[in-house]
Amino acid sequence: MRTIVCVKQVPASNEVRLDEKTNTIIRDGGEAVINPFDSHALEAALALKEQLGGTVAVLSMGIPAAAEMLRQCLARGADEALLLTDRAFAGADTLATSYALFQGVEQLGDFDLLLCGKMAVDGDTAQIGPELATRLGIPHVSDVFSLECSGDSVTVQRELGGCVQTLRLPLPAVLTVTRELNVPRLPSIAGVLRSETVEIPCRSAAQIGADEAQCGLKGSPTQVVATFLPQRTREVVELTDTAALLPIIKGGAGLGTGD
Ligand SMILES: Cc1cc2nc3c(=O)[nH]c(=O)nc-3n(C[C@H](O)[C@H](O)[C@H](O)COP(=O)(O)OP(=O)(O)OC[C@H]3O[C@@H](n4cnc5c(N)ncnc54)[C@H](O)[C@@H]3O)c2cc1C
C-alpha cells in the first residue's frame, strides 16, 4: 500500500498577514504549523501502513521553511518527503497549486491512495483534493470521517446533509479527510532522531518538469484585487444618568437595533 499525503504549512494563529501590494499571504516569518486536517490525513496513512504494509510519502508546496514540517512528518513515521519550493510557485491560486502538486505526485511515482485534508485553515477553499483527482483522472470523495482499505478498493463514510453516505471506490483514489477520522499520534523519540539525519529533497518548478506559465501568479486565473479587515463600527456608550437615558430609550437610538 503506497499512500501519498499532501501537507500544507499554515500560520499558527488566525492573525494571517497579507501583502498589501500582491494581496497574498506573507508566509515568511511568523510561526507556522502543519494544517490540522493534514495531520489526520497523515495519521490515516500511517495506520494503513501498519495494517497493510507499504510506504507513506508526504508532499508539500511551500517556502523552504516548510522542510521542517515535512521533517516532523518523517518523525511521526512517514518514509519519504518532497518539498516543491521556488519563487515560480508564489501567489498560486488553487488551479496553480493543484498543478504543482500534480507534478510533485508524478515525481513520487505510483500510489494507491492520495490523502489531503478537508481544507487548509488559511486558504479555506477545499478545492485542492478534488482538483488533484481531476488532474490525475481518478475518483475522489471529500469530507471522509471513516475509511477501510482492502487490496484494491477503499470503503469510506462521509456526512452529507444530516445523513451518512457509505461509498466504495477502486484504487487509486483521492480522499479529503476530516478531524473525526482519528487522533494523530505524536512523534516517537526514535522517529525524531531518524528524521534529523534526513535531508528533505527540495525541487524547483524546472526540476519537476513543470511549465512555469501554469505555476504561481502567472498560472493563476483568479487573482485577489483587494483585501481588508472589516471596520468595527459598533460603539459602546456607558449610560450612568437615568434622566439622560430616557430620551435615548424612547428614540431607540443605538439600542435594540442589533448594531
Ligand atoms: C487572502 C487569500 C485570498 C485567496 N484568493 C484566492 C483566489 O482568489 N482564488 C483561488 O483560487 N485561491 C485563492 N486563495 C487560496 C490560495 O491560493 C490557497 O492557499 C492555495 O491555492 C491552496 O488552496 P487552499 O489553501 O484553499 O487549500 P484547500 O483546498 O482548502 O486544501 C485542501 C488540502 O489540500 C492540500 N494542500 C493545499 N495546499 C497545499 C500545499 N501548498 N501543499 C501541500 N498540500 C496542500 C492539503 O492536504 C489541504 O488540507 C486565497 C487565499 C488567501 C489567504
Side-chain angles (χ1 to χ4, degrees):
M1 182 86 193
R2 164 89 162 155
T3 308
I4 298 177
V5 186
C6 289
V7 289
K8 182 181 184 185
Q9 195 178 46
V10 295
S13 81
N14 289 336
E15 302 280 315
V16 174
R17 294 176 304 134
L18 296 166
D19 183 320
E20 287 177 9
K21 281 196 188 129
T22 61
N23 291 305
T24 54
I25 294 187
I26 301 169
R27 295 192 185 274
D28 284 311
E31 202 194 329
V33 293
I34 181 171
N35 180 45
F37 292 99
D38 305 352
S39 207
H40 293 270
L42 175 60
E43 178 58 39
L46 297 173
L48 284 173
K49 183 174 99 166
E50 283 163 358
Q51 190 193 337
L52 302 168
T55 55
V56 175
V58 281
L59 169 66
S60 192
M61 182 190 87
I63 58 173
E68 280 317 302
M69 171 197 65
L70 291 177
R71 194 177 303 286
Q72 287 163 21
C73 296
L74 295 179
R76 278 174 55 188
D79 303 281
E80 191 184 345
L82 176 60
L83 175 61
L84 310 178
T85 187
D86 191 334
R87 291 302 310 163
F89 295 132
D93 69 3
T94 66
L95 199 70
T97 302
S98 66
Y99 172 71
L101 290 175
F102 166 70
Q103 297 292 341
V105 169
E106 297 279 283
Q107 293 284 309
L108 288 167
D110 288 346
F111 64 92
D112 301 293
L113 206 52
L114 177 61
L115 297 181
C116 290
K118 167 190 168 152
M119 62 184 215
V121 294
D122 57 352
D124 264 14
T125 67
Q127 290 176 9
I128 297 301
E131 285 182 13
L132 270 172
T134 306
R135 289 187 183 279
L136 291 158
I138 57 177
H140 94 277
V141 176
S142 54
D143 296 356
V144 168
F145 70 83
S146 135
L147 71 86
E148 255 177 58
C149 232
S150 69
D152 56 3
S153 70
V154 58
T155 305
V156 301
Q157 287 187 305
R158 67 165 164 179
E159 203 190 306
L160 208 62
C163 62
V164 171
Q165 192 178 39
T166 305
L167 298 155
R168 184 174 300 127
L169 295 85
L171 297 176
V174 177
L175 306 176
T176 78
V177 308
T178 67
R179 293 176 202 257
E180 289 71 37
L181 184 62
N182 50 39
V183 179
R185 72 191 65 188
L186 293 170
S188 64
I189 293 173
V192 172
L193 294 176
R194 188 167 16 92
S195 71
E196 278 173 2
T197 61
V198 176
E199 195 170 325
I200 306 290
C202 297
R203 298 281 178 271
S204 65
Q207 285 170 325
I208 58 168
D211 169 12
E212 287 199 16
Q214 294 188 62
C215 297
L217 212 51
K218 274 193 216 162
S220 298
T222 55
Q223 275 160 27
V224 185
V225 290
T227 48
F228 61 92
L229 285 174
Q231 292 297 313
R232 286 176 188 272
T233 53
R234 293 179 188 185
E235 202 183 331
V236 177
V237 181
E238 193 180 337
L239 302 168
T240 48
D241 180 351
T242 327
L245 186 59
L246 278 173
I248 294 174
I249 292 173
K250 281 182 188 156
L255 292 176
T257 60
D259 285 346

